[in-house]
Amino acid sequence: MAGFNRRHFLGLAGTAAATAALTACTGTGSGGNGGGNAGGAGSRITFWSNHPGTSRDVELELIRRFEAENDISVQLISAGKNYEEVAQKFNASLAGGEQPDVVVLSDVGWFNYALNKTIEPLDTHFSSAGVEPDDYVDALLADYLFDGSHFALPYARSTPLFYYNKDLWQRVGLPDRGPESWQEFGEWAPELQQAIGNGKFAHSWGNAIDYLAWTFQGPNWTFGGAYSQEWDLKLTDERTIEAGNWLRDQIHTARYANVSPDIATDFAAGLCGSTIASTGSLSGITATATSFEVGTAFLPRTEQPGCPTGGAGLAIPSGIPDQRKENALKFIEFITNAENTAYFSQNVSYMPVRKTAVESDEFAQYLNDNPNARTAVDQLPFTGPQDNARVFVPGADQILGTGFERIALQNADVESTFADVQEQIQRIIDRQIAPNLPR
C-alpha cells in the first residue's frame, strides 16, 4: 500500500542526538467548565493529562511558571489514570462535549486523530507561538509527522530500558552491565534463575496492559522480525515467528521468565532479576527498590535496531477557535522548552525533548550524578521508529499484547496465534485506515 510511507515522513529512523475517566480539576488557573475562551490576554487554557510518571506536582509547577510569565491561566484536568482513559474522555469531547485546549496523547493515540482531522496540524502556528522546531530532538519531533505536518509536540517521551538487579548480578559473578544481545542473556539466565530462587524469575515481561507489545518490539527487531513494514504486515514472517517462539521458550521450556501485570513493582520488590520498562518508570523504581542497587542498560541488540521510542506528546483539538489554538501552543512550547523539559526529566525521569536542554551544564551534571538516567539519553541515537502496525492502527497495541499473552500464559502455538493477530489488524487497516490515507 503506497498511500502513506512512514519512513518518508519520519525520515530519520530514530537516529538523532516516547471508560470512566477522572474529572477532578487541579491547578492554579481560574475555575469554570474547562472550556477555555477565545480571547488573548486573560484567557484560560484547559490541559488534560494523566500525569505521566506520577508527574502531577511537576505539571503544577510548570503551570505556575507559565502563569508567572503570561496573562493566561491554566486549569489542569486529571483526565484519566492512563493514556487510554484520556483518549476515552477526549473521544467523548469530540462527540459533542467540552473540548480541552491541550491534551496528552500516547504514541498509539495521536495518528488516528490526525487521520480524521480532529487534532490540529501545528506547523502553521509555529511562528506566532514562538516554536523553534529545530531545537526539538529530531527523532522525537519526527514521530508526530504525517502528511507534511506535525500533529503534536514531544512531552513525556521515553524508551524502554533494560533494568537489572546489580546485587543479583554480583552474586552470580556477572559483569556490571546489561547483556549485549539476547543470546548472551540466554547464557546468563540459568545462573540468574538458580540464584534468585523458586517463585521468582530471572526476567519478567509486562502484560498486554503493561505495554508488552511495546517492550517486545525491540527484541523482535533484533531477530530480524517486525510487526509491519509500512502497511505490509509481517507477523507471519519466519523471523517474527522465531522471535515469538523465543518468548514462549523462555517461559515454558527454560522457565526463567514470566509475564507480570506490574513489572515495575515486581522488579523493585526483588521478584525478578531484570525487566524491560519505560524510562518514565525509573524514578519510581529507584525510590521503591530499597533492598538492592538498580542498574539500567541499553536494550540488548544485534545489527538491527533493538529499541523503539515511546511515550506521549501534546496535541491541540482542531475544533477550537484559532486564538485558543495559539495560546495552547504557546503553553506547549513553554512547558517543553529547554529549562522546563530538563526540570521535567530530572523529576519524572522522561527524556528531555530539546537539544539545548541536554547541552546545559546543569543537566550534564545531573546525568553525571545519575548514570541510570543517562542510559536513555545515550540510547536515543540507537532507537528506531515504531512499526505502523502498533502505533497507527486503532486498538492494535492491545491486539498484539493479547496475542503475546496467549503465547506466554497459555503456551499457545506462535504461528497460528500470530496469523490470527495479523488477520485482526489487517481488517482494521482495510476498513478504517486505507480509505483515509493521502493519495
Side-chain angles (χ1 to χ4, degrees), residues 79-101:
K81 67 176 183 287
N82 53 39
Y83 297 137
E84 291 74 26
E85 287 193 357
V86 174
Q88 290 168 8
K89 184 175 174 65
F90 187 49
N91 286 336
S93 78
L94 295 174
E98 200 72 61
Q99 293 184 29
D101 297 277

Side-chain angles (χ1 to χ4, degrees), residues 38-56:
S43 298
R44 183 180 68 252
I45 290 169
T46 55
F47 174 25
W48 286 11
S49 179
N50 64 307
H51 322 304
T54 62
S55 58
R56 176 182 175 276

Side-chain angles (χ1 to χ4, degrees), residues 57-205:
D57 289 343
V58 175
E59 289 178 331
L60 289 173
E61 170 59 20
L62 295 176
I63 288 170
R64 186 198 64 77
R65 294 180 181 187
F66 177 79
E67 290 180 335
E69 297 186 19
N70 297 272
D71 190 16
I72 302 172
S73 63
V74 180
Q75 186 178 35
L76 180 62
I77 306 273
S78 294
K81 67 176 183 287
N82 53 39
Y83 297 137
E84 291 74 26
E85 287 193 357
V86 174
Q88 290 168 8
K89 184 175 174 65
F90 187 49
N91 286 336
S93 78
L94 295 174
E98 200 72 61
Q99 293 184 29
D101 297 277
V102 177
V103 61
V104 169
L105 294 179
S106 77
D107 53 352
V108 301
W110 71 270
F111 176 74
N112 197 50
Y113 297 113
L115 190 65
N116 290 287
K117 305 184 188 305
T118 53
I119 57 174
E120 182 76 2
L122 302 179
D123 300 65
T124 57
H125 305 285
F126 279 172
S127 178
S128 60
V131 175
E132 297 179 2
D134 289 345
D135 190 38
Y136 285 91
V137 175
D138 295 328
L140 302 183
L141 180 65
D143 278 344
Y144 304 104
L145 188 60
F146 168 61
D147 201 19
S149 297
H150 296 88
F151 284 82
L153 290 178
Y155 174 54
R157 294 305 309 272
S158 61
T159 65
L161 297 179
F162 185 88
Y163 289 81
Y164 66 100
N165 181 328
K166 286 194 170 193
D167 294 5
L168 178 64
W169 252 237
Q170 185 178 34
R171 191 156 76 242
V172 173
L174 293 175
D176 185 12
R177 61 171 176 81
E180 293 180 356
S181 68
W182 286 111
Q183 289 73 20
E184 182 176 48
F185 184 71
E187 296 169 3
W188 293 357
E191 287 187 274
L192 289 167
Q193 183 59 48
Q194 184 175 7
I196 200 169
N198 291 333
K200 302 178 182 179
F201 295 91
H203 188 80
S204 284
W205 299 89

Side-chain angles (χ1 to χ4, degrees), residues 342 345-346 352 356-374 377:
S345 180
Q346 290 175 62
T356 48
V358 180
E359 296 167 0
S360 71
D361 292 340
E362 179 183 357
F363 196 75
Q365 185 62 50
Y366 165 74
L367 294 180
N368 286 334
D369 294 340
N370 297 273
N372 281 340
R374 176 183 288 279
V377 176

Side-chain angles (χ1 to χ4, degrees), residues 76-421:
L76 180 62
I77 306 273
S78 294
K81 67 176 183 287
N82 53 39
Y83 297 137
E84 291 74 26
E85 287 193 357
V86 174
Q88 290 168 8
K89 184 175 174 65
F90 187 49
N91 286 336
S93 78
L94 295 174
E98 200 72 61
Q99 293 184 29
D101 297 277
V102 177
V103 61
V104 169
L105 294 179
S106 77
D107 53 352
V108 301
W110 71 270
F111 176 74
N112 197 50
Y113 297 113
L115 190 65
N116 290 287
K117 305 184 188 305
T118 53
I119 57 174
E120 182 76 2
L122 302 179
D123 300 65
T124 57
H125 305 285
F126 279 172
S127 178
S128 60
V131 175
E132 297 179 2
D134 289 345
D135 190 38
Y136 285 91
V137 175
D138 295 328
L140 302 183
L141 180 65
D143 278 344
Y144 304 104
L145 188 60
F146 168 61
D147 201 19
S149 297
H150 296 88
F151 284 82
L153 290 178
Y155 174 54
R157 294 305 309 272
S158 61
T159 65
L161 297 179
F162 185 88
Y163 289 81
Y164 66 100
N165 181 328
K166 286 194 170 193
D167 294 5
L168 178 64
W169 252 237
Q170 185 178 34
R171 191 156 76 242
V172 173
L174 293 175
D176 185 12
R177 61 171 176 81
E180 293 180 356
S181 68
W182 286 111
Q183 289 73 20
E184 182 176 48
F185 184 71
E187 296 169 3
W188 293 357
E191 287 187 274
L192 289 167
Q193 183 59 48
Q194 184 175 7
I196 200 169
N198 291 333
K200 302 178 182 179
F201 295 91
H203 188 80
S204 284
W205 299 89
N207 64 4
I209 295 174
D210 213 0
Y211 306 114
L212 177 55
W214 182 55
T215 57
F216 188 71
Q217 192 167 200
N220 187 25
W221 291 344
T222 70
F223 278 79
Y227 301 156
S228 64
Q229 290 179 354
E230 307 305 341
W231 295 108
D232 184 13
L233 297 181
K234 297 293 182 181
L235 285 155
T236 59
D237 282 16
E238 179 181 355
R239 293 297 184 87
T240 308
I241 292 170
E242 181 184 358
N245 279 314
W246 168 75
L247 174 67
R248 185 177 69 168
D249 289 346
Q250 290 177 32
I251 296 168
H252 296 287
T253 303
R255 298 184 181 276
Y256 65 76
N258 76 324
V259 165
S260 164
D262 192 345
I263 51 173
T265 297
D266 281 4
F267 175 73
L271 300 179
C272 59
S274 63
T275 193
I276 299 176
S278 169
T279 307
S281 299
L282 178 58
S283 58
I285 288 175
T286 303
T288 54
T290 57
S291 63
F292 63 90
E293 185 178 357
V294 175
T296 63
F298 287 11
L299 262 61
R301 63 186 192 275
T302 56
E303 294 181 0
Q304 303 288 334
C307 183
T309 57
L314 298 176
I316 299 170
S318 59
I320 64 175
D322 286 345
Q323 184 61 58
R324 282 177 62 184
K325 293 173 185 175
E326 183 172 321
N327 289 342
L329 191 54
K330 286 179 180 177
F331 173 69
I332 294 173
E333 191 283 330
F334 181 88
I335 67 171
T336 62
N337 69 23
E339 178 183 357
N340 289 323
T341 192
Y343 171 77
F344 191 82
S345 180
Q346 290 175 62
N347 285 275
V348 190
S349 298
Y350 284 96
M351 294 184 297
V353 300
R354 299 288 276 265
K355 298 172 186 174
T356 48
V358 180
E359 296 167 0
S360 71
D361 292 340
E362 179 183 357
F363 196 75
Q365 185 62 50
Y366 165 74
L367 294 180
N368 286 334
D369 294 340
N370 297 273
N372 281 340
R374 176 183 288 279
T375 303
V377 176
D378 290 347
Q379 184 176 234
L380 185 58
F382 304 100
T383 60
Q386 294 196 59
D387 296 339
N388 287 12
R390 176 178 183 264
V391 290
F392 289 163
V393 180
D397 174 64
Q398 287 299 300
I399 294 171
L400 287 160
T402 300
F404 295 144
E405 280 190 347
R406 287 163 54 191
I407 293 165
L409 300 178
Q410 303 171 25
N411 201 16
D413 176 74
V414 171
E415 189 168 354
S416 60
T417 300
F418 280 4
D420 177 56
V421 168

